[in-house]
Amino acid sequence: MDSPSSTSVPPAAATARFRWGPYTSVFVLLFLFGTETFLVSPLLPTIASDLAISESAAAYSVTAYVLVYAVCAPFLGLVSDRVGRRRTLLLGSVLFLLSNVAAAMSDGLTFLVVSRALAGVAAAAAGPAIWAHISETTEDTVRGRALGLGMAFFSCGQVLGVPLGSFLAGAAGWRAAFWAMAIGTLLVVPMLLRQIPAGGAQPASGGLGARAVFAAWGHGALRKSLLVNTAFNAANLGAYTFMGVVLAERFDLSVTALGLVGILVGIGSIVGSTAGGRLGDRARAQGRADLPLLAVWGLLLAVGIALTVWGPGLILALLGVMIWFVASGGFVTDQQTLAGTAAPELRATSSAWLTSTMYAGTGVGAWAVGLFSDLTLGTAVIGVALAVVAALGGAMVSAQLRRGAERAPRAEAMGADSA
């Protein structure tokens, strides 16, 4: 069946409150993972100088983290589905701590790149387990808000990663940034032990073979949503790769001004994540489990990119940036909701594939924009076109979920009659 496993709830349930206290540890961990993503970027010149290597060589440490995460996440997501959330989360957190200690103690490029790759493995193990844990331990009436809040913490980490890395490097050297990450993780581990129950949800049965890793692609709605996710992020993050170039060319913005634009990116992501979660909860409270806003986020993304690239004047361009990332935050929250409900036995695996297809889409989108000699034109054409494709795909996913939800009561009735 392609419909989510969630059940309809009375409209009054939409007013239920989400108690976020028991999720403090996983929210902080999501913040740290988000910070780690862009922490190294401002440190590259300092690292290169200290280790006597080129900046392009130092950038391998960034590539190692992202690439290893993207490749390993589906396999480690399956491990989480099979052995349970607590063990996977604790293992990933401890490895994340050790990898940051290793990065802080690196005395050469090889050791640094290996430590960053281990950090990618750690995040790939713990990240999908976190999203699955949130999905399976929250009530349907507040699940969207819980996932949206988690995405907001992750987005905050991404936004603060660059200034935080710069501040720590300026105050105490580049190694201080990794020591700070290690200390933060060390403080989280005892919280995880208290807040993640030893029993928890029962792990799904089955093996750890390649067929199980790719099982999410055999589920109709999930398969379509992963393809939509690829197209959406080819438009979203692929175009974002060149957003700074576009704004600098259009309005002659300084590096400092572009850094302030990054704050708008973070604010938009946080607003979109939290609003998307609340709107999703409200739709489910009204009996709709088909993620009706998926297509809307795609259209908003197209509008945001178009305004950023073509909007007359800086104010409209910055408004476009806000719309762009409100759409991004809302879309990701809806996708995580689908990953956590469509196939409960594949929660972590499905969430991991979302990350992998996000990175794949980012690479494809950046490559496609780079084919244009005029990067502003390329950003507009590729970004807007693929956002519209994602909107159409989102409408198809919603339609399939709606059909599945309509078939479920009939199937149950037929089963009861035959019994």
Side-chain angles (χ1 to χ4, degrees):
M1 182 183 299
D2 293 332
S3 60
S5 60
S6 58
T7 56
S8 299
V9 291
T15 61
R17 295 182 60 188
F18 168 61
R19 294 177 59 251
W20 60 272
Y23 297 88
T24 305
S25 58
V26 294
F27 286 161
V28 173
L29 202 54
L30 285 172
F31 174 83
L32 293 174
F33 290 162
T35 303
E36 185 89 0
T37 306
F38 298 117
L39 182 73
V40 178
S41 298
L43 307 180
L44 291 179
T46 308
I47 292 173
S49 175
D50 187 52
L51 300 182
I53 58 177
S54 66
E55 290 185 18
S56 59
Y60 293 152
S61 60
V62 178
T63 304
Y65 178 83
V66 174
L67 184 61
V68 169
Y69 190 122
V71 172
C72 294
F75 298 91
L76 294 174
L78 179 64
V79 170
S80 173
D81 285 330
R82 295 294 185 261
V83 306
R85 312 301 177 211
R86 181 183 169 92
R87 280 184 283 185
T88 311
L89 263 171
L90 289 173
L91 177 63
S93 299
V94 171
L95 183 58
F96 192 69
L97 188 161
L98 295 176
S99 66
N100 277 287
V101 170
M105 298 177 66
S106 297
D107 58 0
L109 178 63
T110 301
F111 199 48
L112 177 63
V113 170
V114 170
S115 68
R116 293 287 293 158
L118 289 176
V121 173
I130 289 175
W131 297 118
H133 167 70
I134 294 172
S135 292
E136 64 197 10
T137 57
T138 51
E139 297 180 4
D140 185 66
T141 52
V142 295
R143 185 173 297 127
R145 271 169 281 182
L147 291 169
L149 189 56
M151 189 56 61
F153 271 88
F154 184 77
S155 298
C156 279
Q158 289 181 316
V159 173
L160 293 177
V162 172
L164 181 61
S166 299
F167 172 77
L168 290 172
W174 65 269
R175 300 176 192 276
F178 293 108
W179 282 119
M181 294 296 295
I183 293 170
T185 310
L186 180 63
L187 296 175
V188 169
V189 171
M191 296 169 62
L192 285 172
L193 287 170
R194 291 195 304 270
Q195 294 187 339
I196 308 298
Q202 292 300 311
S205 60
L208 294 170
R211 179 177 297 180
V213 171
F214 291 94
W217 290 91
H219 185 285
L222 282 176
R223 180 174 60 253
K224 286 186 176 67
S225 74
L226 291 174
L227 293 173
V228 171
N229 194 57
T230 305
F232 185 94
N233 283 294
N236 176 28
L237 298 179
Y240 177 61
T241 305
F242 300 96
M243 187 184 75
V245 175
V246 171
L247 291 175
E249 288 182 354
R250 291 194 66 200
F251 305 108
D252 195 27
L253 297 183
S254 65
V255 173
T256 302
L258 289 174
L260 294 176
V261 172
I263 296 176
L264 291 181
V265 170
I267 293 173
S269 298
I270 293 166
V271 170
S273 299
T274 52
R278 287 184 174 275
L279 290 172
D281 287 341
R282 185 174 299 174
R284 284 188 297 280
Q286 295 170 351
R288 298 194 64 178
D290 57 345
L291 302 177
L293 291 177
L294 270 181
V296 174
W297 302 130
L299 292 176
L300 276 180
L301 177 64
V303 171
I305 293 174
L307 273 177
T308 302
V309 177
W310 288 322
L314 179 60
I315 299 300
L316 280 179
L318 295 180
L319 176 62
V321 172
M322 281 287 291
I323 294 172
W324 181 337
F325 284 91
V326 166
S328 177
F331 177 85
V332 172
T333 299
D334 268 0
Q335 287 282 64
Q336 286 291 354
T337 302
L338 175 58
T341 56
E345 73 282 4
L346 297 171
R347 280 191 173 108
T349 311
S350 301
S351 176
W353 276 114
L354 283 179
T355 303
S356 293
T357 52
M358 177 191 73
Y359 285 133
T362 302
V364 170
W367 168 79
V369 173
L371 293 177
F372 288 74
S373 57
D374 183 343
L375 292 178
T376 298
L377 178 63
T379 300
V381 171
I382 298 300
V384 173
L386 289 179
V388 172
V389 169
L392 294 174
M396 292 173 62
V397 171
S398 294
Q400 183 162 0
L401 291 172
R402 189 161 53 250
R403 288 194 299 269
E406 291 170 352
R407 287 197 301 265
R410 292 198 295 268
E412 292 175 0
M414 293 175 61
D417 291 341
S418 61

